[in-house]
Amino acid sequence: HLVEEAKRCLQCKKPLCRDGCPVNTPVNEVINLFLNGSILEAGELLFANNPLSVFCSLVCPHEKQCEGSCILNKKGIPIRFGAIEHYISSYYLDYIKPDLVKVPGKKVAIIGSGPAGITIAMILASRGYDITIFEAHDKIGGILRYGIPEFRLPKALLDKLKDKLIRMGIKIRPNTLIGQVLTIDDLFRDGYKAVFVGTGVWKPQSLGIKGESLGHVHYAIDYLKNPSVYQLGNRLCIIGAGNVAMDVARTAVRNRVREVYVFYRGGSED
């Protein structure tokens, strides 16, 4: 069915789908390679453009980006590129065999193993840098692991990616919070020539209203880290209607909350 979907691509001379993608994914080129049976080449093209292609293919708001910009979307159904991209990227992730040579003296520390840290680590490792990732949690992934539910982003993908990072010669230190026992000065003392700080945006955005400190009020990003430890009762009110709010709503229903309400200040069309 993905081949049939790809065949609908018009191979536009000025691909609006590429312009609509924040990282300019070469959609038409990837589809052309895919249809010609060059799936590894298509995967390599995606990976070179965006090392996290396999994740973006699942969680990107395609309807606002590549698919939303597709010329076919004006009068019909756009090319479902997200599904095509995920198939190609998953296939490529299984077959990629990094064979890298480290260049002496090029030692870099990455603080945080979220999307930014992983991407920087893979790009620099492919250029011969000696990379060590320091992660405060017990597993890599950052917001990909702890902020997006399993039903939207299978964590097995992150575990597979971790194996690829290790095969690229990247060292990972979990449960290591930089700034307390180890400091950035310690990193430079130990021979790191540069430090990339990708600690994420874990601080919740508060409303600044009375009642936020009460025991039955929680921040969405904290809830998504480990929903099973929360006792939300039978009726839940969610303030906000973005992606995070929807993730919380769907997660709460899966954790036996009977009634879930979403409060949003805009109209239904938004």
Side-chain angles (χ1 to χ4, degrees):
H1 70 283
L2 292 178
V3 172
E4 293 303 314
E5 184 69 11
K7 286 179 178 178
R8 295 200 302 116
C9 178
L10 300 178
Q11 289 294 318
C12 303
K13 290 184 178 180
K14 292 184 178 180
L16 299 178
C17 50
R18 181 170 188 161
D19 294 339
C21 174
V23 294
N24 295 113
T25 299
V27 176
N28 55 332
E29 295 176 45
V30 169
I31 287 179
N32 192 42
L33 287 169
F34 176 59
L35 289 175
N36 289 331
S38 303
I39 188 168
L40 287 178
E41 288 83 351
E44 186 176 3
L45 188 59
L46 284 169
F47 186 83
N49 181 72
N50 174 17
L52 297 186
S53 171
V54 69
F55 301 104
C56 292
S57 64
L58 290 177
V59 300
C60 273
H62 301 100
E63 69 282 357
K64 296 180 181 178
Q65 297 173 352
C66 57
E67 295 178 11
S69 302
C70 177
I71 193 71
L72 293 176
N73 192 45
K74 297 184 180 296
K75 293 184 178 180
I77 300 174
I79 304 298
R80 303 298 185 191
F81 181 68
I84 297 170
E85 180 184 17
H86 185 68
Y87 178 79
I88 296 172
S89 296
S90 298
Y91 188 92
Y92 183 74
L93 195 60
D94 284 331
Y95 278 86
I96 182 175
K97 295 179 180 179
D99 184 17
L100 309 172
V101 178
K102 290 183 181 178
V103 180
K106 300 175 77 171
K107 191 175 178 182
V108 176
I110 308 289
I111 303 176
S113 68
I118 291 174
T119 302
I120 293 292
M122 297 182 84
I123 290 173
L124 293 183
S126 67
R127 296 177 182 175
Y129 285 79
D130 183 2
I131 305 295
T132 300
I133 296 176
F134 297 86
E135 171 54 49
H137 291 94
D138 58 331
K139 295 182 179 180
I140 71 162
I143 200 72
L144 295 174
R145 183 180 294 276
Y146 298 103
I148 302 178
E150 173 74 20
F151 56 80
R152 277 223 296 141
L153 181 62
K155 302 307 179 280
L157 273 179
L158 283 165
D159 297 333
K160 186 185 295 184
L161 182 65
K162 179 185 176 182
D163 293 338
K164 298 299 177 183
L165 293 176
I166 293 173
R167 290 182 64 181
M168 292 179 77
I170 297 171
K171 294 175 285 292
I172 301 172
R173 285 191 58 167
N175 297 316
T176 305
L177 183 62
I178 301 298
Q180 295 185 350
V181 177
L182 286 177
T183 66
I184 288 181
D185 288 337
D186 293 330
L187 299 179
F188 286 120
R189 175 202 66 192
D190 291 338
Y192 293 95
K193 303 301 182 184
V195 176
F196 175 80
V197 181
T199 51
V201 285
W202 292 105
K203 183 180 178 182
Q205 183 177 352
S206 65
L207 293 173
I209 60 176
K210 184 177 179 180
E212 280 188 276
S213 66
L214 298 179
H216 59 322
V217 178
H218 308 286
Y219 293 115
I221 197 166
D222 295 331
Y223 172 70
L224 289 173
K225 285 182 184 177
N226 193 357
S228 63
V229 303
Y230 286 80
Q231 302 296 325
L232 299 183
N234 292 325
R235 303 178 76 211
L236 172 66
C237 166
I238 298 169
I239 300 175
N243 275 343
V244 174
M246 293 301 102
D247 285 345
V248 169
R250 297 168 68 187
T251 300
V253 169
R254 284 166 166 79
N255 282 272
R256 299 189 180 90
V257 176
R258 294 180 181 176
E259 298 178 38
V260 176
Y261 299 87
V262 174
F263 281 28
Y264 178 54
R265 62 182 177 179
S268 59
E269 67 278 6
D270 299 317

